[in-house]
Amino acid sequence: RTVYVNGEYLPETEAKVSIFDRGFLMADGVYEVTSVLDGKLIDFDGHAKRLERSLRELDMAAPITMEELLEVHRELVRLNGIEEGMIYLQITRGAPEDRDFAFPDPAKVPSTIVLFTQNKPGLANSPAAAKGLKVISIEDIRWGRRDIKTVQLLYPSMGKMMAKKAGCDDAWMVEDGFVTEGTSNNAYIVKDGKIITRQLSNDILHGITRAAVLKFAEEAQMVVEERPFTIAEAQAADEAFITSASTFVMPVVEIDGTALGDGTPGPVSKRLREIYLEESRKAAI
Ligand code: PMP
């Protein structure tokens, strides 16, 4: 696989990052994941804008312009022959000579940028979408700036492991009695045709897929209500689903052992997945 690191395209075995990199030592970094369908980028502009926001919120310099970044994405897709898959991008506050909590002077320490691809043939035709996911609920003990897409992914990883151990696919996190989001996705329920999902705030990541799906839902005259919901409300809902760049719209069929409806993906989730795939393919660049 060819990867990109600090301005160079290299075989993955030759790409190197310093052991003093603050991404490694302190999780002082941000990331993005953009999906690829038909060899084209889905919602690149949305991901680039969120990346700029994450960098700004953390006072981190962008080592590249968004135009150049688009070129790097396209070049990696080409070099690795990706038809369906993902492009991961990570920017950290670089590698100062000494380990120190204080941020280094950006004029002296350039940020580190790394991009790599993951080839996922069949991503859009995933069997999981036909079956639906089982989720458990866990407490949300993450920090208070979940709107910034940082590389602090330890708790989400632990959440996935807790789900796996329980024989499930993912975990929905709960804070003060209300669902925030999934470990790596936004969470939704559907009741009497109405789509309910938590409103944007610092409590959740502002999903790029979420923004697109809510827009498509409204264009299709579906009713969307942005408010928090509880696990009990979700268990009594007609359907549920998640969204993320790597899963698109993915039905959820069971929450903490309670099947939703007849335990198979619901019509609203299925329709939204179809609309999302069709529309985002059309708009891909
Ligand atoms: N919430 C969290 C915590 C995530 O990690 C992700 C995916 N990275 C999302 C939501 C979904 O965001 P997007 O639709 O931009 O992939």
Side-chain angles (χ1 to χ4, degrees), residues 231-247:
I231 288 292
E233 186 180 5
Q235 287 173 316
D238 302 320
E239 14 178 329
F241 61 92
I242 57 165
T243 65
S244 76
S246 54
T247 61

Side-chain angles (χ1 to χ4, degrees), residues 15-65:
K16 287 196 176 70
V17 175
S18 164
I19 66 156
F20 296 110
D21 196 279
R22 288 178 62 96
F24 175 60
L25 295 179
M26 292 165 174
D28 187 0
V30 298
Y31 78 112
E32 276 298 330
V33 186
T34 303
S35 54
V36 176
L37 290 177
D38 315 318
K40 289 186 184 162
L41 303 165
I42 304 298
D43 234 328
F44 177 80
D45 281 347
H47 290 282
K49 287 209 174 74
R50 185 173 62 189
L51 174 67
E52 288 186 305
R53 179 177 182 275
S54 293
L55 290 166
R56 202 164 52 237
E57 291 295 317
L58 295 177
D59 238 335
M60 211 182 278
I64 193 170
T65 66

Side-chain angles (χ1 to χ4, degrees), residues 12-255:
E12 65 182 67
T13 47
E14 285 171 30
K16 287 196 176 70
V17 175
S18 164
I19 66 156
F20 296 110
D21 196 279
R22 288 178 62 96
F24 175 60
L25 295 179
M26 292 165 174
D28 187 0
V30 298
Y31 78 112
E32 276 298 330
V33 186
T34 303
S35 54
V36 176
L37 290 177
D38 315 318
K40 289 186 184 162
L41 303 165
I42 304 298
D43 234 328
F44 177 80
D45 281 347
H47 290 282
K49 287 209 174 74
R50 185 173 62 189
L51 174 67
E52 288 186 305
R53 179 177 182 275
S54 293
L55 290 166
R56 202 164 52 237
E57 291 295 317
L58 295 177
D59 238 335
M60 211 182 278
I64 193 170
T65 66
M66 294 304 127
E67 291 73 34
E68 289 166 333
L69 197 58
L70 173 59
E71 282 319 302
V72 177
H73 276 72
R74 285 182 162 155
E75 187 62 0
L76 285 178
V77 166
R78 194 183 67 78
L79 290 170
N80 294 292
I82 308 291
E83 274 299 307
E84 290 194 10
M86 273 94 71
I87 304 186
Y88 284 83
L89 144 76
Q90 185 161 325
I91 297 176
T92 75
R93 209 181 302 273
E97 263 175 51
D98 288 313
R99 186 183 185 281
D100 186 357
F101 278 80
F103 294 172
D105 177 354
K108 294 196 185 116
V109 178
S111 17
T112 302
I113 176 165
V114 165
L115 281 96
F116 58 89
T117 55
Q118 275 188 2
N119 193 24
K120 297 269 178 198
L123 184 66
N125 253 324
S126 144
K131 230 175 112 208
L133 305 181
K134 295 178 178 177
V135 303
I136 58 165
S137 63
I138 61 172
E139 179 135 10
D140 195 341
I141 59 165
R142 296 173 301 160
W143 78 326
R145 290 303 306 274
R146 303 158 190 157
D147 57 310
I148 308 173
K149 197 164 169 64
T150 77
V151 298
Q152 290 185 93
L153 297 172
L154 181 55
Y155 189 64
S157 297
M158 290 168 72
K160 292 254 193 220
M161 293 312 291
M162 290 184 241
K164 223 170 157 173
K165 213 170 149 194
C168 291
D169 305 291
D170 201 3
W172 278 9
M173 295 180 280
V174 175
E175 185 172 59
D176 300 329
F178 293 96
V179 174
T180 52
E181 58 188 332
T183 58
S184 60
N185 44 70
N186 292 112
Y188 308 72
I189 57 173
V190 181
K191 185 70 179 176
D192 300 326
K194 196 189 293 172
I195 300 161
I196 301 159
T197 193
R198 194 178 176 106
Q199 72 281 9
L200 297 181
S201 72
N202 291 355
D203 299 337
I204 61 169
L205 187 75
H206 301 187
I208 303 305
T209 320
R210 176 190 185 279
V213 165
L214 293 189
K215 183 176 130 250
F216 297 144
E218 273 161 10
E219 284 169 5
Q221 319 297 328
M222 299 179 184
V223 181
V224 175
E225 204 173 300
E226 293 182 70
R227 62 161 175 86
F229 56 85
T230 64
I231 288 292
E233 186 180 5
Q235 287 173 316
D238 302 320
E239 14 178 329
F241 61 92
I242 57 165
T243 65
S244 76
S246 54
T247 61
F248 312 118
V249 176
M250 184 64 73
V252 167
V253 295
E254 190 185 298
I255 303 172

